[in-house]
Amino acid sequence: MSDEKVDRQMEERLTELLSRTKAGDRAARDALFALAYRELRRLAHARLAGGGRNTVLDTTSLVHESYLRLVQADELTIEDRRAFFGYASRVMRSVIVDSARARVAERRGGNAPKLSLSTDLGDGLAQDEDNIVQVHEALEELEKADPRAARMVEMRYFGGYSDKEIAETLDVTERTVQRDWEKARMLLRVMLNPA
C-alpha cells in the first residue's frame, strides 16, 4: 500500500474519531489518541530534541501530560487532522510554559527562607526556563498584533513543526510561513530585548 494511501486512510480515521469524540464518545477519544500517539511523540520529540528548551520534560512525559490536559478539557471540538495537531501544539506549549514557571518559582524558593550559594551549576537550566516564560509572554503580545504569525511561532517553537507542516495546518504557502517567521522574529526580538 502506498504511503499516500496510508496517510489518507489515517486522516479519514482521525476525522471520524474526532467527530465521534465531539459527540461525547469517550472510547473514540481514547482511540483518537492511540492513533495520533506516534505523531504526538514526533512533535514532542522535535520540540525537545537536543535538550530543547526544557530539560525537565522528556518526550513521553510531554505527550502524556498533554493528553491529560486534552482529556481534562472534556470538550474536544476539533474537526480535522490539521486543527487537532495545531491544538495539540498549543497544549504542549501550555505544558512546557507551566513546567518552566514551576521550576522558576521553585528555584526562587517561593516562601522558603532565602539562602545564597556560590555555584554556577544551575545557571544554564535557569536561563532556559526564564527564556521559555519570556517567549510565552512575548507570544501573547504578538497574538494581539498578528494572530496568524503568533500561531506559526507557537507551532514552530513549541510544537517543533516544519515550514511545510505549518503551511498545511494554516492553509497557507510555505513562502507565507517564511515571511511570517521573519516578521515574527523581528517583533519578538524587539519585545524580548527592548533596549
Side-chain angles (χ1 to χ4, degrees):
M1 197 179 307
S2 72
D3 288 344
E4 189 175 303
K5 187 173 182 178
V6 170
D7 288 344
R8 189 172 45 250
Q9 287 177 340
M10 183 176 169
E11 188 162 341
E12 289 171 1
R13 180 75 175 134
L14 277 171
T15 301
E16 173 202 345
L17 290 171
L18 283 164
S19 176
R20 289 177 39 204
T21 298
K22 187 176 177 180
D25 184 341
R26 288 183 179 262
R29 182 190 64 200
D30 294 340
L32 169 69
F33 285 103
L35 183 63
Y37 189 76
R38 179 178 289 162
E39 180 69 11
L40 291 171
R41 279 191 58 84
R42 189 191 66 74
L43 289 175
H45 180 74
R47 170 60 190 95
L48 299 172
R53 294 169 186 89
N54 186 317
T55 58
V56 176
L57 292 170
D58 63 14
T59 300
T60 302
S61 60
L62 178 55
V63 170
H64 290 199
E65 182 64 28
S66 298
Y67 171 75
L68 289 174
R69 289 190 186 191
L70 287 165
V71 169
Q72 289 170 351
D74 217 25
E75 283 187 33
L76 195 59
T77 58
I78 298 160
E79 297 179 9
D80 66 18
R81 178 188 181 280
R82 291 184 307 192
F84 173 76
F85 287 111
Y87 181 67
S89 72
R90 285 193 299 278
V91 172
M92 285 183 188
R93 169 187 170 190
S94 172
V95 170
I96 291 166
V97 169
D98 288 351
S99 174
R101 283 183 174 155
R103 296 275 301 166
V104 168
E106 180 182 302
R107 188 179 70 247
R108 293 189 177 142
N111 293 328
K114 302 290 183 208
L115 176 64
S116 295
L117 297 175
S118 59
T119 180
D120 295 330
L121 294 176
D123 287 349
L125 178 61
Q127 181 183 14
D128 209 30
E129 290 163 343
D130 287 336
N131 287 342
I132 291 170
V133 175
Q134 289 173 344
V135 168
H136 169 72
E137 290 169 355
L139 197 52
E140 286 180 330
E141 289 300 312
L142 180 61
E143 284 172 331
K144 295 174 188 171
D146 191 337
R148 185 180 72 200
R151 184 147 181 240
M152 186 274 306
V153 171
E154 175 182 71
M155 292 173 75
R156 179 180 278 210
Y157 185 84
F158 289 99
Y161 279 70
S162 69
D163 286 351
K164 182 180 180 188
E165 292 167 324
I166 295 168
E168 289 172 0
T169 300
L170 298 180
D171 200 24
V172 296
T173 66
E174 284 185 62
R175 181 67 188 126
T176 299
V177 169
Q178 292 162 357
R179 280 194 306 267
D180 282 357
W181 175 244
E182 290 303 316
K183 178 175 54 172
R185 279 181 42 195
M186 287 188 301
L187 291 170
L188 288 171
R189 191 175 299 130
V190 169
M191 290 177 199
L192 292 169
N193 300 312

